[in-house]
Amino acid sequence: MAIKKAHVITVTSVKGGTGKSTTVLNLAGVLSLRKQKTLILDLDLYSGAIAPSLNIDITTDLYRLINDMYMNRFDNIENYVCSYNEYIDIIPAPKDPRLANKIKNKYLSLVIKKASTRYDFILIDTTHSLSDINLLALDNSDLILYLVTNNLVDLKSMRSMVSIYKDMNKNNYRIIMNNSIDKNRSCFTNYDINNILGDNIDYTISSNFYQRNIDQYVIDGKILSLIYPQKYMVFEDIISDFLKEDK
Ligand SMILES: Nc1ncnc2c1ncn2[C@@H]1O[C@H](COP(=O)(O)OP(=O)(O)OP(=O)(O)O)[C@@H](O)[C@H]1O
Ligand SMILES: [Mg+2]
């Protein structure tokens, strides 16, 4: 029997607050509806948003997992995850943020390798910095999703990132324009944006997805794409395009 290998998708950005964590959660919702066993790995080490957004009590975290690997005490990845539902598990960022800088980054590849045989998908939430652990996540990914907003500084920084990918001849990244955070802001047209970026926008999260009462969903630990699958089709499109291209 062939050994299962999870698809690894990392969600990142060049600026903070562009909707990475919300996107990770919505992708997990779509995968859960597809009955795909999904692990969310929270690499926002100092202020992990995944467990709080899902109302999950943190009983274990990435620090404990990597420290056990380092101390040769690691046994089974299942002992290091918190479950949201039948399909979604998470490895939260350290419950105590003071432990974040004690994490031995180089073990991240091993974490992904161990989880790979147990899950269909691994979704990685990052911060916007090019830290060692984020770079490792990018190196280990099949697909990298960049969340950008309609903001000149964000778009110009993304342009530099696009150049780096082009220089490296890497094309496993997609750019998502998120209009749902600041729904009234739309300074640049798609034509302008493509010119600024030197690349195309692959997906758009429409301003119609703006949720005035998003905090209520956080309080209830609900995932929008699980409650309104029809409304959040863009996340389904991202997954189905990826699976088509991956064949
Ligand atoms: N569809 C939406 N409607 C309303 N508010 C939203 C929506 N999506 C995201 N937000 C809000 O925008 C803010 C940023 O979103 P999110 O935390 O997902 O971004 P991020 O890129 O992960 O941020 P950070 O860089 O701080 O980790 C959050 O307060 C979130 O609640
Ligand atoms: Mg975040």
Side-chain angles (χ1 to χ4, degrees), residues 42 45 60-71 73 80 91-96 98-104:
D42 193 346
L45 301 180
T60 179
D61 61 29
L62 187 63
Y63 173 79
R64 183 177 155 248
L65 165 55
I66 288 186
N67 197 46
D68 279 6
M69 283 177 161
Y70 174 65
M71 303 293 277
R73 285 193 303 237
Y80 298 89
I91 298 180
K95 188 173 181 174
D96 179 347
R98 289 171 300 179
L99 295 175
N101 59 2
K102 296 203 164 69
I103 288 182
K104 298 190 186 324

Side-chain angles (χ1 to χ4, degrees), residues 11-30:
V11 180
T12 192
S13 65
V14 290
K15 182 180 167 294
T18 57
K20 297 178 288 297
S21 303
T22 311
T23 296
V24 165
L25 294 171
N26 282 322
L27 290 171
V30 162

Side-chain angles (χ1 to χ4, degrees), residues 13 15-23 44 49 125-128 178 180-181 209-212 214-215 218 224 232:
S13 65
K15 182 180 167 294
T18 57
K20 297 178 288 297
S21 303
T22 311
T23 296
D44 190 343
D125 190 18
T126 62
T127 58
H128 67 283
N178 191 355
S180 72
I181 288 187
F209 296 173
Y210 174 75
Q211 282 287 344
R212 200 168 41 84
I214 194 159
D215 288 343
V218 173
L224 290 165
Y232 287 82

Side-chain angles (χ1 to χ4, degrees), residues 49-207:
I50 301 298
S53 302
L54 295 179
N55 231 343
I56 284 179
D57 216 16
I58 302 178
T59 51
T60 179
D61 61 29
L62 187 63
Y63 173 79
R64 183 177 155 248
L65 165 55
I66 288 186
N67 197 46
D68 279 6
M69 283 177 161
Y70 174 65
M71 303 293 277
N72 256 330
R73 285 193 303 237
F74 171 83
D75 43 20
N76 192 324
I77 196 86
E78 282 165 12
N79 297 331
Y80 298 89
V81 302
C82 305
S83 289
Y84 175 70
N85 67 15
E86 191 183 344
Y87 296 103
I88 303 174
D89 287 343
I90 76 168
I91 298 180
K95 188 173 181 174
D96 179 347
R98 289 171 300 179
L99 295 175
N101 59 2
K102 296 203 164 69
I103 288 182
K104 298 190 186 324
N105 296 333
K106 64 174 186 186
Y107 282 85
L108 183 74
S109 305
L110 186 59
V111 172
I112 293 172
K113 195 171 159 202
K114 293 284 180 193
S116 229
T117 56
R118 301 272 172 167
Y119 292 90
D120 299 304
F121 279 82
I122 300 172
L123 300 177
I124 306 180
D125 190 18
T126 62
T127 58
H128 67 283
S129 80
L130 282 180
S131 62
D132 287 350
I133 200 156
N134 284 340
L135 285 172
L136 269 171
L138 300 181
D139 280 347
N140 278 284
S141 298
D142 300 306
L143 177 67
I144 301 166
L145 299 173
Y146 276 91
L147 266 291
V148 297
T149 52
N150 200 325
N151 164 300
L152 187 55
V153 175
D154 193 359
L155 294 169
K156 282 191 164 178
S157 303
M158 189 61 219
R159 182 188 179 89
S160 309
M161 196 54 70
V162 165
S163 308
I164 294 171
Y165 277 92
K166 293 204 163 145
D167 282 352
M168 293 191 309
N169 251 333
K170 289 199 88 163
N171 59 4
N172 64 335
Y173 70 96
R174 299 289 175 270
I175 304 176
I176 307 175
M177 171 58 69
N178 191 355
N179 290 328
S180 72
I181 288 187
D182 192 353
K183 70 180 178 110
N184 296 318
R185 183 176 192 129
S186 56
C187 323
F188 302 107
T189 63
N190 277 356
Y191 179 80
D192 293 335
I193 292 168
N194 292 349
N195 277 331
I196 299 169
L197 286 178
D199 204 338
N200 295 324
I201 294 291
D202 297 291
Y203 301 97
T204 300
I205 303 176
S206 143
S207 56

